[in-house]
Amino acid sequence: MKNTIAERIYDFLKDFPPFNALDEGQLMTICEQVKIGYYDVGDYVFQKEDDLHDVFYVVKDGAVGIFREGDVLVDECDEGDIFGLRALIRQSAYLLSAKAIEESIVYAISSDLLEAYITSNIDANKFIMASFASNTLNPYLDRDIGRPYSLEGEFNQQTGHLAYLQNVGVKKNPVTCSEDTNIMTAAITMTEKKVGSIIITNNDKPRGIITDKDLRTKIATGKYSISNSVTQIMSSPVITVPENISIAEAQITMLRNKITHLCVTKDGTNDSVLVGVLSEHDIVVAQSNNPSYLIKEVKRAETAIKLHEVRQKSQGLMQRYLDQHIPVSLVSKIISAINEAICQKVIELSIDEMGQRPPTAFSWLSLGSQGRGEQLLLTDQDNALVFGDVPPEHQEKTKTYFLAFAQLVTEKLNVVGFEFCPAEMMASNSKWCLSLTEWKNQFNDWITKPDEDKIMLSTIFFDYDRVYGDANLVDRMSDSIFQSIDNYGIFLNFLALNAIKNPPPLSFFRQFLVESSGEHKDLFDIKSRAMMPLVDAARLLVLSNSIKEHNNTIKRFEVLAGLEPQNKDLYNACIDAFKVLLRFRTVEGLKHNDSGRFFDLKSLSKANRLKLKGCFGAIKDIQELIKVRFKLAQIM
């Protein structure tokens, strides 16, 4: 007789890893033994410090939240996600709570089945270990390893996931005691310091550890007296790790050794000086500050204030990445992805607030540095909106809707931390909220009748990126730009003149050129004098090659290097220079809590001034190439 319930479970699980790695017979055996649980909103699947259930869980329908102490949401598990697995492998009480945040159906699968069919299967086991290493519920889903976290060749696959690189952030000044301390004194110290562990040291080197669990299982049960020495109940030898341990490495070390605390020493060995302690709670906190978690927080946010909190967390994340010397090109991709997710959520909230759906297709565009994926710091907004053509009688009503909508979006972005553009280059300005035909006509006018203002606008609006909406509208806009350029090629010469208007910022005596007057007198303008010449050059050269797929400056030079092998070294030099400049600006901005555009060169070390000056050679050489290629000597 057929087991229809098992077959339904099979039809569901077969599409999700690690179950999709099992053969039909193995998976059906599991499905026949699955237990089904029904949970109302607020029901706990398990709570922190509960005894271990001899199962792990898979969400069939609904959503289950994973919470740490204080009812702080750490992660959200939905259809196909697994939870409760770490505790099962670690074989200890739960360190987090799992609670239904929607009406949910949850499958429970026993540890016996885990060992018999999943961990023994090479591909299924790879999934399990990859999920630990990557700090994601499903490391193979596009939503987890897609563009926001892709390293795009910057690191090899073994260490390729960003979570593997993220430093946990070790607690300094660990609570310690000597080997001759009695248990009562150690327990009092732990209580006073409000910590869950104490390290027993000898000559500042870790010799053992006592945790709250030891006090419960060895003292509260009467096995040992509180007057005994700490050496009687301490776990020894301790597991030690170096200071720069990553989340993934720390997590795997704890799981392999079935422990919840690691001692951090100077060189990572037991025979080295203790510098910190790392608990599983610290891992949870670190995980809640990684890109994957921040993206999920964005999706859950219901107000601009909440999105502001996420954006503030991303600033801290960026600071840590820079401190760890993670490549700035990777950092910019991550922060840009978070910015984009925030903007998308703001748009969704604003559509809901409008109370009616958009009257026609539209696209929201980010411009300038955000459009290029280079906006690391909180700068002002630059955005625009394109909407589908409508009959003339509906034009005014349609535009009125989108202007009101854009006003809501820009106001929310301002709350998030992106200030209003002083020049009003925002979609809430009727000049930059246009139909597709109006944008085409606008671009054609800029290209065929160029003047200084139109060239300036071109350098801003040609670096647009679709954040939300109809991709077809944006593709047709892009096509119109290239068609107009093909019909009026001399426009590129005007753009080329603009690209060389800021020569390398060195005087005749090889000194930095700084601002001579005004608010920023004697400060160096890294944006105008160093970064924009490279940005302008990359834009000009990809336009001249009819490349419309890439807006990012580094990516543009990479594509150009592939198209022009004879200039590969120059383009690579431009890439290196731009990365250095982007890092300089970001570090200075974080240091002074501003845009990082202007800074005092005297605050830089001699080495950093030399590094900065070294970027200017690439600017000089790329501008020379532009002068020759566009025959500017004839028209200058």
Side-chain angles (χ1 to χ4, degrees):
M1 183 175 177
K2 282 189 175 183
N3 185 339
T4 55
I5 293 177
E7 288 179 348
R8 288 175 186 169
I9 296 171
Y10 175 92
D11 286 338
F12 175 77
L13 291 181
K14 67 180 174 60
D15 294 324
F16 296 96
F19 308 104
N20 60 359
L22 307 180
D23 64 39
E24 184 176 345
Q26 291 173 325
L27 182 53
M28 183 55 75
T29 300
I30 290 175
C31 295
E32 288 169 349
Q33 299 179 58
V34 164
K35 294 180 180 178
I36 305 173
Y38 301 87
Y39 299 88
D40 287 327
V41 175
D43 287 350
Y44 283 94
V45 182
F46 54 77
Q47 289 183 263
K48 183 177 183 289
E49 297 184 358
D50 277 356
D51 289 335
L52 178 67
H53 302 179
D54 197 27
V55 296
F56 68 96
Y57 300 92
V58 183
V59 179
K60 166 62 170 67
D61 290 312
V64 174
I66 308 298
F67 296 84
R68 69 171 187 253
E69 195 171 352
D71 214 30
V72 176
L73 185 67
V74 173
D75 218 329
E76 184 176 319
C77 307
D78 50 27
E79 184 180 285
D81 284 338
I82 293 172
F83 63 98
L85 189 56
R86 285 176 172 80
L88 189 61
I89 291 177
R90 191 178 58 243
Q91 285 294 298
S92 64
Y94 293 102
L95 299 171
L96 302 169
S97 299
K99 180 172 63 176
I101 53 181
E102 297 176 10
E103 290 185 15
S104 301
I105 298 175
V106 176
Y107 294 155
I109 301 173
S110 75
S111 60
D112 291 339
L113 294 171
L114 173 69
E115 291 182 13
Y117 297 108
I118 297 176
T119 57
S120 61
N121 179 294
I122 293 175
D123 291 332
N125 194 49
K126 278 181 181 178
F127 168 84
I128 298 298
M129 294 314 296
S131 68
F132 290 142
S134 65
N135 294 322
T136 60
L137 296 167
N138 188 339
Y140 299 149
L141 286 181
D142 288 343
R143 70 168 185 255
D144 289 330
I145 61 170
R147 189 180 70 180
Y149 323 114
S150 169
L151 306 193
E152 297 188 9
E154 298 242 22
F155 296 93
N156 61 41
Q157 289 185 347
Q158 184 180 359
T159 59
H161 201 286
L162 184 61
Y164 215 100
L165 297 167
Q166 184 175 332
N167 191 288
V168 178
V170 173
K171 283 186 178 178
K172 305 294 184 181
N173 303 317
V175 177
T176 64
C177 68
S178 62
E179 292 173 305
D180 58 3
T181 304
N182 64 42
I183 296 169
M184 182 175 72
T185 302
I188 291 172
T189 302
M190 290 170 64
T191 302
E192 290 176 345
K193 299 289 186 180
K194 298 179 181 179
V195 295
S197 65
I198 189 167
I199 312 298
I200 295 84
T201 60
N202 185 346
N203 292 326
D204 295 327
K205 297 175 182 176
R207 292 294 175 256
I209 183 172
I210 293 175
T211 66
D212 284 336
K213 182 181 177 182
D214 294 317
L215 298 178
R216 291 196 309 271
T217 60
K218 298 174 183 178
I219 303 303
T221 58
K223 288 183 180 179
Y224 295 90
S225 167
I226 59 173
S227 62
N228 285 149
S229 165
V230 289
T231 57
Q232 294 289 303
I233 66 167
M234 71 182 188
S235 299
S236 182
V238 294
I239 305 299
T240 55
V241 293
E243 291 181 89
N244 61 349
I245 185 131
S246 68
I247 288 176
E249 292 167 317
Q251 212 167 26
I252 292 170
T253 301
M254 287 181 181
L255 288 165
R256 283 176 177 166
N257 292 281
K258 295 182 171 63
I259 57 175
T260 57
H261 291 77
L262 298 171
C263 289
V264 183
T265 61
K266 205 71 178 172
D267 65 6
T269 68
N270 293 61
D271 225 16
S272 179
V273 174
L274 179 74
V275 295
V277 64
L278 186 59
S279 70
E280 196 153 33
H281 174 74
D282 299 325
I283 298 289
V284 171
V285 172
Q287 282 180 285
S288 69
N289 288 301
N290 67 24
S292 178
Y293 181 80
L294 293 181
I295 293 288
K296 287 188 176 184
E297 270 202 294
V298 169
K299 291 179 180 178
R300 291 192 290 263
E302 294 299 330
T303 65
I305 294 292
K306 184 62 180 176
L307 292 170
H308 170 74
E309 293 172 8
V310 177
R311 188 58 181 81
Q312 290 300 110
K313 288 181 182 179
S314 74
Q315 292 289 100
L317 182 74
M318 177 169 59
Q319 179 71 71
R320 290 199 301 278
Y321 286 163
L322 293 173
D323 290 344
Q324 291 171 241
H325 301 288
I326 290 175
V328 72
S329 56
L330 169 59
V331 178
S332 68
K333 290 172 188 173
I334 295 164
I335 300 303
S336 293
I338 294 172
N339 287 343
E340 184 174 292
I342 288 172
C343 189
Q344 289 167 347
K345 186 65 178 183
V346 163
I347 291 168
E348 290 169 1
L349 293 174
S350 299
I351 290 174
D352 291 341
E353 191 174 342
M354 288 293 290
Q356 65 179 103
R357 303 302 298 175
T360 185
F362 79 98
S363 280
W364 185 274
L365 307 174
S366 288
L367 309 174
S369 61
Q370 189 174 351
R372 295 190 299 272
E374 295 161 4
Q375 188 181 47
L376 288 169
L377 300 163
L378 282 167
T379 55
D380 57 283
Q381 300 180 42
D382 287 308
N383 45 59
L385 188 147
V386 53
F387 57 87
D389 292 324
V390 294
E393 61 269 24
H394 298 310
Q395 174 73 11
E396 184 176 347
K397 183 178 179 181
T398 300
K399 184 157 184 170
T400 299
Y401 173 93
F402 282 116
L403 282 173
F405 162 69
Q407 187 66 38
L408 292 178
V409 175
T410 54
E411 286 173 354
K412 289 182 178 63
L413 288 174
N414 186 61
V415 172
V416 170
F418 298 99
E419 295 183 2
F420 293 120
C421 175
E424 294 190 47
M425 288 187 180
M426 299 180 293
S428 53
N429 183 337
S430 61
K431 291 168 63 177
W432 315 126
C433 178
L434 303 173
S435 69
L436 175 61
T437 296
E438 288 173 327
W439 273 115
K440 287 181 177 180
N441 292 338
Q442 179 89 279
F443 288 142
N444 188 66
D445 178 68
W446 291 350
I447 291 167
T448 59
K449 301 172 184 176
D451 58 28
E452 188 174 344
D453 289 339
K454 292 175 182 177
I455 291 294
M456 183 273 290
L457 290 170
S458 297
T459 62
I460 296 170
F461 283 85
F462 285 2
D463 287 346
Y464 58 74
D465 182 48
R466 180 182 67 90
V467 172
Y468 186 98
D470 192 324
N472 182 52
L473 286 172
V474 180
D475 288 340
R476 290 161 69 186
M477 277 178 61
S478 299
D479 289 341
S480 74
I481 290 173
F482 285 99
Q483 184 176 348
S484 293
I485 290 174
D486 284 343
N487 294 334
Y488 198 76
I490 197 172
F491 170 76
L492 293 176
N493 295 84
F494 288 99
L495 211 56
L497 284 169
N498 179 76
I500 65 168
K501 70 179 181 182
N502 289 319
L506 291 175
S507 70
F508 180 79
F509 298 103
R510 301 287 295 168
Q511 297 300 309
F512 285 93
L513 294 175
V514 296
E515 301 306 290
S516 59
S517 61
E519 178 186 355
H520 304 292
K521 187 176 185 296
D522 297 327
L523 299 181
F524 181 67
D525 182 352
I526 194 172
K527 175 184 175 181
S528 293
R529 293 189 180 274
M531 298 181 74
M532 289 313 296
L534 292 170
V535 170
D536 291 339
R539 180 193 310 106
L540 167 67
L541 292 168
V542 297
L543 284 174
S544 68
N545 280 280
S546 298
I547 299 167
K548 66 178 181 179
E549 293 83 8
H550 304 292
N551 287 348
N552 179 265
T553 300
I554 291 172
K555 189 63 182 178
R556 281 170 165 172
F557 279 124
E558 287 175 347
V559 172
L560 290 167
L563 288 174
E564 303 175 20
Q566 72 278 17
N567 293 316
K568 182 177 180 180
D569 289 344
L570 171 56
Y571 294 141
N572 284 337
C574 291
I575 291 170
D576 292 339
F578 192 77
K579 287 179 179 179
V580 170
L581 295 168
L582 187 58
R583 179 178 286 273
F584 262 110
R585 180 176 181 179
T586 306
V587 169
E588 289 298 314
L590 289 171
K591 187 190 302 181
H592 302 292
N593 195 30
D594 59 20
S595 70
R597 176 173 177 174
F598 298 94
F599 56 85
D600 186 354
L601 291 165
K602 298 187 187 72
S603 67
L604 301 182
S605 66
K606 183 176 180 180
N608 279 336
R609 285 199 298 273
L610 288 173
K611 186 184 292 185
L612 190 58
K613 192 176 289 187
C615 298
F616 302 158
I619 297 173
K620 178 178 180 294
D621 291 342
I622 197 69
Q623 290 186 341
E624 287 299 323
L625 181 145
I626 289 171
K627 288 177 186 177
V628 172
R629 180 166 299 183
F630 294 93
K631 301 180 175 60
L632 298 186
Q634 301 173 16
I635 56 177
M636 288 175 68

